[in-house]
Amino acid sequence: MRSIKANIIAQIELVGGRHDEAEIYGGPAGDLGLTGGPGSLSWEINGDLASVTGAGSAAILMEVLHPSVMHGVFTQSSYRTDPYARARNTLGYVPRSTFGNTEAATRVIEHVKRVHSYINGTRADGVSYRALDPALIAWVHTCIPWAIMTAFDRYRRPLSRAEKDQYLKEQALIGRMGGAEWVPETVSELEDYVERMRPLMAYNDQTRQFGDFLLGTSGDVATTRQQRFESWMGPHGSMLMMPDWARKMTGTYHSSVMERFILRPNEKLKSRLVRWAVGELPCKTMALARVSGAAPRPASSDISNSRQQYAA
Ligand code: HEM
């Protein structure tokens, strides 16, 4: 019988991937990557897998509250037919852009931009959009560090305002490289921006169907009662980090009793379990070794495999 630790790791890797490719996380000695290296808040916060996984559902739900993002994902993503591969690729963006060597991280971002260049459409209400619209990229980008930072602050260690500002600033580079023109770089900019974006948010039929899929109640994938329970607890717990208006819109708002005695303790327990099971992420260990010069340089065949993987 597999140990509890091995089971937790297997579950996380199924959904989020392993992230230990030498061609991405190894590389030139001293290369800090894009977000600042070992002394950065990005390495501390995004290196805490519990915060990244705990934030995942909230970030995704916030992203798709924008009806253009929802339409793009609903009509042009393989999330229904290939959910694990889709999740691994999407969630993999965080470790790759944070801990990857400068060349590999840049290549990953460029690849994702190329994918986005084919994504466009017209919503049921007649509004046309394209994924590479800097305003849409800014919204999707913002939801990611916002949710991860909040999870870290709540379940790992409280962050000072200055630390949050620093983290948002480090992450802003990734947002701009992904195609945004402007993204919030401080907590006050983030708060103002979210308020400005709020009137654009919608919970429509596509969001409802997407939410059902996330909760395991859509019928697309066969699920046991236990899986449905876990799928329910995940997004509902994750959305605790988001403003009340968003929780109300997404049907994830609950009484304070439910929040205090069930959802919050469950999130806290999950984050402790993930930290206990995973420890330091392999990609962070490899990136630290790279910076200190202890990482083996990837073989040239690894580099060309990686180039092929992220080529158009
Ligand atoms: C900074 C903002 C964004 C990030 C970080 C991001 C991240 C990603 C990643 C990592 C992928 C996987 C690429 C691959 O297949 O290797 C992806 C694909 C995709 N993204 Fe984005 N995205 C962003 C913005 C958007 C926006 C604004 C839209 C819609 C308007 C969108 C819709 C999609 C769709 C439909 C796919 C294809 C999924 C599939 O093939 O199943 N994304 N995105």
Side-chain angles (χ1 to χ4, degrees):
M1 202 175 83
R2 272 209 292 195
S3 70
I4 300 177
K5 217 176 226 191
N7 268 325
I8 296 174
I9 293 174
Q11 187 56 35
I12 291 172
E13 287 183 0
L14 175 70
V15 181
R18 180 159 168 77
H19 306 294
D20 59 357
E21 303 94 323
E23 65 275 17
I24 297 179
Y25 303 105
D31 182 346
L32 300 175
L34 296 174
T35 57
S40 66
L41 267 303
S42 289
W43 277 41
E44 182 183 0
I45 296 172
N46 292 356
D48 182 42
L49 186 63
S51 298
V52 177
T53 52
S57 304
I60 291 170
L61 275 172
M62 292 309 295
E63 289 166 8
V64 299
L65 277 184
H66 194 301
S68 297
V69 178
M70 185 68 263
H71 192 277
V73 170
F74 193 83
T75 58
Q76 291 157 75
S77 161
S78 58
Y79 79 88
R80 272 203 159 90
T81 48
D82 206 359
Y84 290 126
R86 176 65 18 241
R88 278 194 295 270
N89 250 355
T90 309
L91 295 174
Y93 195 74
V94 172
R96 287 174 184 143
S97 58
T98 303
F99 297 109
N101 65 57
T102 304
E103 193 202 329
T106 305
R107 209 178 321 127
V108 166
I109 295 171
E110 287 303 319
H111 162 77
V112 172
K113 266 177 96 172
R114 271 196 300 279
V115 172
H116 287 146
S117 69
Y118 298 106
I119 292 165
N120 51 62
T122 304
R123 294 170 3 198
D125 57 4
V127 174
S128 296
Y129 67 88
R130 54 185 189 98
L132 275 186
D133 176 348
L136 290 186
I137 294 290
W139 175 246
V140 173
H141 162 81
T142 300
C143 294
I144 301 167
W146 176 23
I148 296 175
M149 175 178 85
T150 310
F152 189 91
D153 181 56
R154 192 168 289 179
Y155 301 115
R156 178 60 172 160
R157 73 167 178 87
L159 292 164
S160 69
R161 184 108 174 174
E163 286 177 317
K164 289 179 184 171
D165 288 352
Q166 177 61 30
Y167 172 68
L168 290 173
K169 194 178 161 81
E170 290 165 7
Q171 289 294 301
L173 173 71
I174 306 295
R176 286 193 298 271
M177 287 177 74
E181 277 160 12
W182 177 91
V183 291
E185 295 194 17
T186 63
V187 174
S188 53
E189 282 181 4
L190 173 72
E191 287 167 356
D192 289 352
Y193 173 63
V194 170
E195 277 310 301
R196 285 203 304 280
M197 293 301 285
R198 189 173 157 182
L200 303 179
M201 303 292 124
Y203 191 82
N204 57 29
D205 191 50
Q206 289 180 337
T207 339
R208 189 186 50 69
Q209 290 188 51
F210 183 80
D212 284 348
F213 179 82
L214 211 62
L215 297 174
T217 52
S218 62
D220 288 68
V221 185
T223 44
T224 61
R225 190 182 286 228
Q226 153 119 20
Q227 283 168 328
R228 278 197 298 280
F229 174 72
E230 284 165 7
S231 297
W232 189 92
M233 290 293 276
H236 284 253
S238 191
M239 282 299 284
L240 285 175
M241 297 183 295
M242 290 299 140
D244 284 357
W245 63 261
R247 295 172 61 205
K248 285 178 181 157
M249 267 182 110
T250 51
T252 55
Y253 186 80
H254 296 283
S255 69
S256 55
V257 175
M258 171 78 171
E259 187 179 310
R260 214 162 133 217
F261 295 106
I262 300 190
L263 290 171
R264 224 175 241 262
N266 186 59
E267 285 303 291
K268 206 176 260 186
L269 174 68
K270 266 193 325 193
S271 84
R272 286 202 178 138
L273 276 174
V274 171
R275 258 177 228 120
W276 165 77
V278 177
E280 187 172 88
L281 284 173
C283 60
K284 184 170 179 182
T285 309
M286 293 171 79
L288 284 167
R290 178 186 79 232
V291 172
S292 71
R297 294 291 299 268
S300 53
S301 59
D302 287 341
I303 293 174
S304 69
N305 286 344
S306 152
R307 287 211 171 108
Q308 275 163 20
Q309 189 184 350
Y310 293 108

